[in-house]
Structure formats: C-alpha cells, structure tokens
PDB file of all heavy atoms in Angstrom:
ATOM      1  N   ASP A   1     -27.762 -30.730 -30.778  1.00 89.00           N
ATOM      2  CA  ASP A   1     -27.954 -31.592 -29.532  1.00 89.00           C
ATOM      3  C   ASP A   1     -29.414 -31.718 -29.049  1.00 89.00           C
ATOM      4  O   ASP A   1     -29.686 -32.364 -28.065  1.00 89.00           O
ATOM      5  CB  ASP A   1     -27.101 -31.044 -28.465  1.00 89.00           C
ATOM      6  CG  ASP A   1     -25.578 -31.151 -28.851  1.00 89.00           C
ATOM      7  OD1 ASP A   1     -25.209 -32.149 -29.607  1.00 89.00           O
ATOM      8  OD2 ASP A   1     -24.826 -30.301 -28.383  1.00 89.00           O
ATOM      9  N   GLY A   2     -30.238 -30.852 -29.535  1.00 92.00           N
ATOM     10  CA  GLY A   2     -31.649 -30.815 -29.056  1.00 92.00           C
ATOM     11  C   GLY A   2     -31.632 -30.261 -27.629  1.00 92.00           C
ATOM     12  O   GLY A   2     -30.924 -29.461 -27.280  1.00 92.00           O
ATOM     13  N   LEU A   3     -32.746 -30.759 -26.908  1.00 93.00           N
ATOM     14  CA  LEU A   3     -32.946 -30.285 -25.517  1.00 93.00           C
ATOM     15  C   LEU A   3     -32.184 -31.242 -24.518  1.00 93.00           C
ATOM     16  O   LEU A   3     -32.142 -32.388 -24.781  1.00 93.00           O
ATOM     17  CB  LEU A   3     -34.402 -30.204 -25.143  1.00 93.00           C
ATOM     18  CG  LEU A   3     -35.286 -29.179 -25.872  1.00 93.00           C
ATOM     19  CD1 LEU A   3     -36.712 -29.459 -25.545  1.00 93.00           C
ATOM     20  CD2 LEU A   3     -34.809 -27.829 -25.649  1.00 93.00           C
ATOM     21  N   SER A   4     -31.485 -30.635 -23.546  1.00 93.00           N
ATOM     22  CA  SER A   4     -30.882 -31.479 -22.467  1.00 93.00           C
ATOM     23  C   SER A   4     -31.961 -32.204 -21.687  1.00 93.00           C
ATOM     24  O   SER A   4     -33.162 -31.850 -21.605  1.00 93.00           O
ATOM     25  CB  SER A   4     -30.017 -30.573 -21.575  1.00 93.00           C
ATOM     26  OG  SER A   4     -30.808 -29.734 -20.740  1.00 93.00           O
ATOM     27  N   ASN A   5     -31.507 -33.161 -20.926  1.00 90.00           N
ATOM     28  CA  ASN A   5     -32.392 -33.799 -19.960  1.00 90.00           C
ATOM     29  C   ASN A   5     -32.918 -32.923 -18.897  1.00 90.00           C
ATOM     30  O   ASN A   5     -34.118 -33.038 -18.525  1.00 90.00           O
ATOM     31  CB  ASN A   5     -31.612 -35.032 -19.343  1.00 90.00           C
ATOM     32  CG  ASN A   5     -31.331 -36.147 -20.191  1.00 90.00           C
ATOM     33  OD1 ASN A   5     -32.130 -36.422 -21.175  1.00 90.00           O
ATOM     34  ND2 ASN A   5     -30.358 -36.926 -19.916  1.00 90.00           N
ATOM     35  N   GLU A   6     -32.176 -31.942 -18.467  1.00 93.00           N
ATOM     36  CA  GLU A   6     -32.578 -30.997 -17.538  1.00 93.00           C
ATOM     37  C   GLU A   6     -33.780 -30.172 -18.075  1.00 93.00           C
ATOM     38  O   GLU A   6     -34.742 -29.848 -17.400  1.00 93.00           O
ATOM     39  CB  GLU A   6     -31.562 -30.118 -17.039  1.00 93.00           C
ATOM     40  CG  GLU A   6     -30.530 -30.924 -16.108  1.00 93.00           C
ATOM     41  CD  GLU A   6     -29.473 -31.744 -16.866  1.00 93.00           C
ATOM     42  OE1 GLU A   6     -29.449 -31.580 -18.096  1.00 93.00           O
ATOM     43  OE2 GLU A   6     -28.879 -32.550 -16.253  1.00 93.00           O
ATOM     44  N   GLU A   7     -33.568 -29.697 -19.343  1.00 95.00           N
ATOM     45  CA  GLU A   7     -34.638 -28.896 -19.998  1.00 95.00           C
ATOM     46  C   GLU A   7     -35.894 -29.712 -20.305  1.00 95.00           C
ATOM     47  O   GLU A   7     -37.055 -29.227 -20.087  1.00 95.00           O
ATOM     48  CB  GLU A   7     -34.034 -28.315 -21.285  1.00 95.00           C
ATOM     49  CG  GLU A   7     -32.947 -27.238 -21.050  1.00 95.00           C
ATOM     50  CD  GLU A   7     -32.134 -26.999 -22.212  1.00 95.00           C
ATOM     51  OE1 GLU A   7     -32.121 -27.822 -23.265  1.00 95.00           O
ATOM     52  OE2 GLU A   7     -31.454 -25.932 -22.221  1.00 95.00           O
ATOM     53  N   ILE A   8     -35.657 -31.019 -20.690  1.00 92.00           N
ATOM     54  CA  ILE A   8     -36.892 -31.816 -20.892  1.00 92.00           C
ATOM     55  C   ILE A   8     -37.658 -32.059 -19.515  1.00 92.00           C
ATOM     56  O   ILE A   8     -38.944 -31.958 -19.518  1.00 92.00           O
ATOM     57  CB  ILE A   8     -36.477 -33.246 -21.464  1.00 92.00           C
ATOM     58  CG1 ILE A   8     -35.984 -33.160 -22.909  1.00 92.00           C
ATOM     59  CG2 ILE A   8     -37.529 -34.239 -21.300  1.00 92.00           C
ATOM     60  CD1 ILE A   8     -37.103 -32.961 -23.895  1.00 92.00           C
ATOM     61  N   GLY A   9     -36.802 -32.019 -18.477  1.00 91.00           N
ATOM     62  CA  GLY A   9     -37.485 -32.218 -17.156  1.00 91.00           C
ATOM     63  C   GLY A   9     -38.385 -31.126 -16.764  1.00 91.00           C
ATOM     64  O   GLY A   9     -39.250 -31.178 -15.944  1.00 91.00           O
ATOM     65  N   LEU A  10     -38.075 -29.861 -17.289  1.00 94.00           N
ATOM     66  CA  LEU A  10     -38.926 -28.598 -17.114  1.00 94.00           C
ATOM     67  C   LEU A  10     -40.264 -28.692 -17.808  1.00 94.00           C
ATOM     68  O   LEU A  10     -41.206 -27.951 -17.423  1.00 94.00           O
ATOM     69  CB  LEU A  10     -38.138 -27.325 -17.405  1.00 94.00           C
ATOM     70  CG  LEU A  10     -36.925 -27.080 -16.602  1.00 94.00           C
ATOM     71  CD1 LEU A  10     -36.113 -25.896 -17.255  1.00 94.00           C
ATOM     72  CD2 LEU A  10     -37.226 -26.844 -15.176  1.00 94.00           C
ATOM     73  N   CYS A  11     -40.436 -29.563 -18.761  1.00 93.00           N
ATOM     74  CA  CYS A  11     -41.530 -29.573 -19.618  1.00 93.00           C
ATOM     75  C   CYS A  11     -42.656 -30.434 -19.081  1.00 93.00           C
ATOM     76  O   CYS A  11     -42.458 -31.435 -18.317  1.00 93.00           O
ATOM     77  CB  CYS A  11     -41.230 -30.083 -20.939  1.00 93.00           C
ATOM     78  SG  CYS A  11     -40.046 -29.056 -21.929  1.00 93.00           S
ATOM     79  N   ASP A  12     -43.932 -30.075 -19.392  1.00 91.00           N
ATOM     80  CA  ASP A  12     -45.048 -30.795 -18.958  1.00 91.00           C
ATOM     81  C   ASP A  12     -45.264 -32.137 -19.793  1.00 91.00           C
ATOM     82  O   ASP A  12     -45.811 -33.195 -19.269  1.00 91.00           O
ATOM     83  CB  ASP A  12     -46.324 -29.939 -18.989  1.00 91.00           C
ATOM     84  CG  ASP A  12     -46.336 -28.779 -18.088  1.00 91.00           C
ATOM     85  OD1 ASP A  12     -46.264 -29.010 -16.888  1.00 91.00           O
ATOM     86  OD2 ASP A  12     -46.308 -27.676 -18.516  1.00 91.00           O
ATOM     87  N   MET A  13     -44.776 -32.167 -21.010  1.00 90.00           N
ATOM     88  CA  MET A  13     -44.889 -33.299 -21.855  1.00 90.00           C
ATOM     89  C   MET A  13     -43.903 -33.083 -22.990  1.00 90.00           C
ATOM     90  O   MET A  13     -43.233 -32.056 -23.243  1.00 90.00           O
ATOM     91  CB  MET A  13     -46.345 -33.341 -22.498  1.00 90.00           C
ATOM     92  CG  MET A  13     -46.695 -32.226 -23.355  1.00 90.00           C
ATOM     93  SD  MET A  13     -48.460 -31.938 -23.634  1.00 90.00           S
ATOM     94  CE  MET A  13     -48.821 -31.224 -22.095  1.00 90.00           C
ATOM     95  N   VAL A  14     -43.742 -34.161 -23.752  1.00 92.00           N
ATOM     96  CA  VAL A  14     -42.723 -34.247 -24.830  1.00 92.00           C
ATOM     97  C   VAL A  14     -43.407 -34.711 -26.155  1.00 92.00           C
ATOM     98  O   VAL A  14     -44.293 -35.637 -25.996  1.00 92.00           O
ATOM     99  CB  VAL A  14     -41.638 -35.095 -24.468  1.00 92.00           C
ATOM    100  CG1 VAL A  14     -40.634 -35.303 -25.697  1.00 92.00           C
ATOM    101  CG2 VAL A  14     -40.773 -34.635 -23.287  1.00 92.00           C
ATOM    102  N   VAL A  15     -43.147 -34.137 -27.216  1.00 93.00           N
ATOM    103  CA  VAL A  15     -43.722 -34.549 -28.535  1.00 93.00           C
ATOM    104  C   VAL A  15     -42.588 -34.917 -29.411  1.00 93.00           C
ATOM    105  O   VAL A  15     -41.468 -34.233 -29.379  1.00 93.00           O
ATOM    106  CB  VAL A  15     -44.621 -33.327 -29.147  1.00 93.00           C
ATOM    107  CG1 VAL A  15     -43.819 -32.272 -29.504  1.00 93.00           C
ATOM    108  CG2 VAL A  15     -45.324 -33.935 -30.454  1.00 93.00           C
ATOM    109  N   SER A  16     -42.773 -35.970 -30.210  1.00 91.00           N
ATOM    110  CA  SER A  16     -41.751 -36.374 -31.206  1.00 91.00           C
ATOM    111  C   SER A  16     -42.414 -36.820 -32.510  1.00 91.00           C
ATOM    112  O   SER A  16     -43.457 -37.438 -32.507  1.00 91.00           O
ATOM    113  CB  SER A  16     -40.970 -37.597 -30.620  1.00 91.00           C
ATOM    114  OG  SER A  16     -39.943 -37.983 -31.427  1.00 91.00           O
ATOM    115  N   VAL A  17     -41.789 -36.605 -33.574  1.00 92.00           N
ATOM    116  CA  VAL A  17     -42.208 -36.785 -34.900  1.00 92.00           C
ATOM    117  C   VAL A  17     -41.665 -38.199 -35.355  1.00 92.00           C
ATOM    118  O   VAL A  17     -40.506 -38.388 -35.276  1.00 92.00           O
ATOM    119  CB  VAL A  17     -41.851 -35.696 -35.955  1.00 92.00           C
ATOM    120  CG1 VAL A  17     -42.320 -36.193 -37.344  1.00 92.00           C
ATOM    121  CG2 VAL A  17     -42.306 -34.324 -35.520  1.00 92.00           C
ATOM    122  N   PRO A  18     -42.550 -39.147 -35.588  1.00 87.00           N
ATOM    123  CA  PRO A  18     -42.106 -40.547 -35.999  1.00 87.00           C
ATOM    124  C   PRO A  18     -41.275 -40.328 -37.351  1.00 87.00           C
ATOM    125  O   PRO A  18     -41.707 -39.799 -38.156  1.00 87.00           O
ATOM    126  CB  PRO A  18     -43.379 -41.340 -36.179  1.00 87.00           C
ATOM    127  CG  PRO A  18     -44.358 -40.614 -35.426  1.00 87.00           C
ATOM    128  CD  PRO A  18     -43.983 -39.147 -35.544  1.00 87.00           C
ATOM    129  N   THR A  19     -40.030 -40.985 -37.353  1.00 87.00           N
ATOM    130  CA  THR A  19     -39.214 -40.862 -38.500  1.00 87.00           C
ATOM    131  C   THR A  19     -38.464 -42.284 -38.748  1.00 87.00           C
ATOM    132  O   THR A  19     -38.709 -43.290 -37.957  1.00 87.00           O
ATOM    133  CB  THR A  19     -38.081 -39.824 -38.277  1.00 87.00           C
ATOM    134  OG1 THR A  19     -37.438 -40.071 -37.088  1.00 87.00           O
ATOM    135  CG2 THR A  19     -38.688 -38.513 -38.281  1.00 87.00           C
ATOM    136  N   SER A  20     -37.849 -42.448 -39.778  1.00 85.00           N
ATOM    137  CA  SER A  20     -37.133 -43.583 -40.133  1.00 85.00           C
ATOM    138  C   SER A  20     -35.954 -43.872 -39.138  1.00 85.00           C
ATOM    139  O   SER A  20     -35.291 -42.841 -38.721  1.00 85.00           O
ATOM    140  CB  SER A  20     -36.579 -43.539 -41.595  1.00 85.00           C
ATOM    141  OG  SER A  20     -35.624 -44.505 -41.785  1.00 85.00           O
ATOM    142  N   GLU A  21     -35.735 -45.090 -38.743  1.00 82.00           N
ATOM    143  CA  GLU A  21     -34.651 -45.325 -37.881  1.00 82.00           C
ATOM    144  C   GLU A  21     -33.306 -45.195 -38.623  1.00 82.00           C
ATOM    145  O   GLU A  21     -32.288 -44.831 -37.923  1.00 82.00           O
ATOM    146  CB  GLU A  21     -34.743 -46.898 -37.442  1.00 82.00           C
ATOM    147  CG  GLU A  21     -35.844 -47.168 -36.489  1.00 82.00           C
ATOM    148  CD  GLU A  21     -35.765 -48.577 -35.965  1.00 82.00           C
ATOM    149  OE1 GLU A  21     -34.953 -49.327 -36.425  1.00 82.00           O
ATOM    150  OE2 GLU A  21     -36.778 -49.030 -35.273  1.00 82.00           O
ATOM    151  N   GLU A  22     -33.327 -45.226 -39.933  1.00 85.00           N
ATOM    152  CA  GLU A  22     -32.055 -44.961 -40.726  1.00 85.00           C
ATOM    153  C   GLU A  22     -31.569 -43.654 -40.555  1.00 85.00           C
ATOM    154  O   GLU A  22     -30.389 -43.418 -40.543  1.00 85.00           O
ATOM    155  CB  GLU A  22     -32.369 -45.369 -42.153  1.00 85.00           C
ATOM    156  CG  GLU A  22     -31.124 -45.200 -43.081  1.00 85.00           C
ATOM    157  CD  GLU A  22     -31.497 -45.577 -44.490  1.00 85.00           C
ATOM    158  OE1 GLU A  22     -32.607 -46.118 -44.644  1.00 85.00           O
ATOM    159  OE2 GLU A  22     -30.585 -45.349 -45.354  1.00 85.00           O
ATOM    160  N   TYR A  23     -32.410 -42.576 -40.509  1.00 85.00           N
ATOM    161  CA  TYR A  23     -32.126 -41.109 -40.227  1.00 85.00           C
ATOM    162  C   TYR A  23     -33.122 -40.467 -39.478  1.00 85.00           C
ATOM    163  O   TYR A  23     -33.997 -39.673 -39.950  1.00 85.00           O
ATOM    164  CB  TYR A  23     -31.894 -40.516 -41.648  1.00 85.00           C
ATOM    165  CG  TYR A  23     -31.268 -39.183 -41.656  1.00 85.00           C
ATOM    166  CD1 TYR A  23     -30.460 -38.760 -40.613  1.00 85.00           C
ATOM    167  CD2 TYR A  23     -31.475 -38.304 -42.641  1.00 85.00           C
ATOM    168  CE1 TYR A  23     -29.856 -37.522 -40.592  1.00 85.00           C
ATOM    169  CE2 TYR A  23     -30.803 -37.048 -42.737  1.00 85.00           C
ATOM    170  CZ  TYR A  23     -30.082 -36.674 -41.631  1.00 85.00           C
ATOM    171  OH  TYR A  23     -29.398 -35.365 -41.592  1.00 85.00           O
ATOM    172  N   PRO A  24     -33.113 -40.639 -38.058  1.00 79.00           N
ATOM    173  CA  PRO A  24     -34.260 -40.149 -37.271  1.00 79.00           C
ATOM    174  C   PRO A  24     -34.325 -38.752 -36.949  1.00 79.00           C
ATOM    175  O   PRO A  24     -35.439 -38.202 -36.596  1.00 79.00           O
ATOM    176  CB  PRO A  24     -34.067 -40.991 -36.006  1.00 79.00           C
ATOM    177  CG  PRO A  24     -32.591 -41.279 -35.869  1.00 79.00           C
ATOM    178  CD  PRO A  24     -32.178 -41.447 -37.433  1.00 79.00           C
ATOM    179  N   ILE A  25     -33.223 -37.939 -36.982  1.00 80.00           N
ATOM    180  CA  ILE A  25     -33.217 -36.669 -36.560  1.00 80.00           C
ATOM    181  C   ILE A  25     -33.574 -35.684 -37.698  1.00 80.00           C
ATOM    182  O   ILE A  25     -32.978 -35.691 -38.760  1.00 80.00           O
ATOM    183  CB  ILE A  25     -31.860 -36.236 -36.037  1.00 80.00           C
ATOM    184  CG1 ILE A  25     -31.469 -37.190 -34.904  1.00 80.00           C
ATOM    185  CG2 ILE A  25     -31.879 -34.866 -35.540  1.00 80.00           C
ATOM    186  CD1 ILE A  25     -32.346 -37.288 -33.661  1.00 80.00           C
ATOM    187  N   MET A  26     -34.605 -34.826 -37.474  1.00 86.00           N
ATOM    188  CA  MET A  26     -35.078 -33.942 -38.481  1.00 86.00           C
ATOM    189  C   MET A  26     -34.560 -32.602 -38.203  1.00 86.00           C
ATOM    190  O   MET A  26     -34.190 -32.144 -37.116  1.00 86.00           O
ATOM    191  CB  MET A  26     -36.672 -33.838 -38.387  1.00 86.00           C
ATOM    192  CG  MET A  26     -37.401 -35.100 -38.647  1.00 86.00           C
ATOM    193  SD  MET A  26     -39.244 -34.838 -38.636  1.00 86.00           S
ATOM    194  CE  MET A  26     -39.378 -33.967 -40.222  1.00 86.00           C
ATOM    195  N   ASN A  27     -34.499 -31.706 -39.377  1.00 90.00           N
ATOM    196  CA  ASN A  27     -34.208 -30.432 -39.218  1.00 90.00           C
ATOM    197  C   ASN A  27     -35.283 -29.736 -38.398  1.00 90.00           C
ATOM    198  O   ASN A  27     -36.493 -30.114 -38.577  1.00 90.00           O
ATOM    199  CB  ASN A  27     -34.187 -29.755 -40.619  1.00 90.00           C
ATOM    200  CG  ASN A  27     -33.947 -28.283 -40.595  1.00 90.00           C
ATOM    201  OD1 ASN A  27     -34.862 -27.482 -40.352  1.00 90.00           O
ATOM    202  ND2 ASN A  27     -32.650 -27.945 -40.859  1.00 90.00           N
ATOM    203  N   ILE A  28     -34.882 -28.842 -37.533  1.00 92.00           N
ATOM    204  CA  ILE A  28     -35.872 -28.231 -36.629  1.00 92.00           C
ATOM    205  C   ILE A  28     -37.058 -27.558 -37.313  1.00 92.00           C
ATOM    206  O   ILE A  28     -38.192 -27.750 -36.824  1.00 92.00           O
ATOM    207  CB  ILE A  28     -35.178 -27.162 -35.740  1.00 92.00           C
ATOM    208  CG1 ILE A  28     -36.184 -26.529 -34.746  1.00 92.00           C
ATOM    209  CG2 ILE A  28     -34.468 -26.062 -36.471  1.00 92.00           C
ATOM    210  CD1 ILE A  28     -35.569 -25.556 -33.739  1.00 92.00           C
ATOM    211  N   THR A  29     -36.883 -26.873 -38.464  1.00 93.00           N
ATOM    212  CA  THR A  29     -37.956 -26.199 -39.052  1.00 93.00           C
ATOM    213  C   THR A  29     -38.887 -27.273 -39.805  1.00 93.00           C
ATOM    214  O   THR A  29     -40.122 -26.966 -39.841  1.00 93.00           O
ATOM    215  CB  THR A  29     -37.531 -25.225 -40.180  1.00 93.00           C
ATOM    216  OG1 THR A  29     -36.556 -25.962 -40.993  1.00 93.00           O
ATOM    217  CG2 THR A  29     -36.747 -24.067 -39.468  1.00 93.00           C
ATOM    218  N   HIS A  30     -38.437 -28.331 -40.190  1.00 94.00           N
ATOM    219  CA  HIS A  30     -39.257 -29.388 -40.819  1.00 94.00           C
ATOM    220  C   HIS A  30     -40.177 -29.993 -39.816  1.00 94.00           C
ATOM    221  O   HIS A  30     -41.306 -30.184 -39.842  1.00 94.00           O
ATOM    222  CB  HIS A  30     -38.395 -30.608 -41.403  1.00 94.00           C
ATOM    223  CG  HIS A  30     -37.592 -30.061 -42.525  1.00 94.00           C
ATOM    224  ND1 HIS A  30     -36.588 -30.848 -43.231  1.00 94.00           N
ATOM    225  CD2 HIS A  30     -37.629 -28.898 -43.186  1.00 94.00           C
ATOM    226  CE1 HIS A  30     -36.085 -30.086 -44.220  1.00 94.00           C
ATOM    227  NE2 HIS A  30     -36.734 -28.981 -44.365  1.00 94.00           N
ATOM    228  N   ALA A  31     -39.420 -30.354 -38.523  1.00 94.00           N
ATOM    229  CA  ALA A  31     -40.347 -30.921 -37.422  1.00 94.00           C
ATOM    230  C   ALA A  31     -41.327 -29.792 -36.974  1.00 94.00           C
ATOM    231  O   ALA A  31     -42.416 -30.203 -36.721  1.00 94.00           O
ATOM    232  CB  ALA A  31     -39.456 -31.207 -36.243  1.00 94.00           C
ATOM    233  N   ALA A  32     -40.961 -28.572 -36.929  1.00 96.00           N
ATOM    234  CA  ALA A  32     -41.895 -27.538 -36.494  1.00 96.00           C
ATOM    235  C   ALA A  32     -43.080 -27.505 -37.498  1.00 96.00           C
ATOM    236  O   ALA A  32     -44.167 -27.342 -36.906  1.00 96.00           O
ATOM    237  CB  ALA A  32     -41.146 -26.129 -36.396  1.00 96.00           C
ATOM    238  N   ALA A  33     -42.825 -27.570 -38.713  1.00 96.00           N
ATOM    239  CA  ALA A  33     -43.935 -27.406 -39.622  1.00 96.00           C
ATOM    240  C   ALA A  33     -44.907 -28.526 -39.558  1.00 96.00           C
ATOM    241  O   ALA A  33     -46.148 -28.428 -39.615  1.00 96.00           O
ATOM    242  CB  ALA A  33     -43.390 -27.366 -41.095  1.00 96.00           C
ATOM    243  N   ILE A  34     -44.392 -29.742 -39.251  1.00 96.00           N
ATOM    244  CA  ILE A  34     -45.258 -30.852 -39.107  1.00 96.00           C
ATOM    245  C   ILE A  34     -46.117 -30.769 -37.824  1.00 96.00           C
ATOM    246  O   ILE A  34     -47.247 -30.992 -37.805  1.00 96.00           O
ATOM    247  CB  ILE A  34     -44.432 -32.264 -39.029  1.00 96.00           C
ATOM    248  CG1 ILE A  34     -43.858 -32.552 -40.332  1.00 96.00           C
ATOM    249  CG2 ILE A  34     -45.334 -33.459 -38.532  1.00 96.00           C
ATOM    250  CD1 ILE A  34     -42.823 -33.638 -40.277  1.00 96.00           C
ATOM    251  N   ILE A  35     -45.543 -30.355 -36.731  1.00 95.00           N
ATOM    252  CA  ILE A  35     -46.229 -30.097 -35.535  1.00 95.00           C
ATOM    253  C   ILE A  35     -47.229 -29.070 -35.620  1.00 95.00           C
ATOM    254  O   ILE A  35     -48.462 -29.230 -35.245  1.00 95.00           O
ATOM    255  CB  ILE A  35     -45.292 -29.737 -34.369  1.00 95.00           C
ATOM    256  CG1 ILE A  35     -44.375 -31.012 -34.003  1.00 95.00           C
ATOM    257  CG2 ILE A  35     -46.007 -29.352 -33.143  1.00 95.00           C
ATOM    258  CD1 ILE A  35     -43.198 -30.705 -33.055  1.00 95.00           C
TER     259      ILE A  35
END
C-alpha cells in the first residue's frame, strides 16, 4: 500500500520514479536503488 496520505503529509517533499503506465508500481528495493 505504500505510504498513507497522513504519512505523506508528514514529509517535506515526495519523490517518485517515472515508470510505465502499464505497470507503474515498482518493488521497493528497485525504487530504492534508482534513488
């Protein structure tokens, strides 16, 4: 489920990895490695 809206609200900023609309959600460790 990722982070809740409340948890996002605690953050100073949000980062997202651009992905294909066909399958947009990445495995957490893959996203972490890219960041």
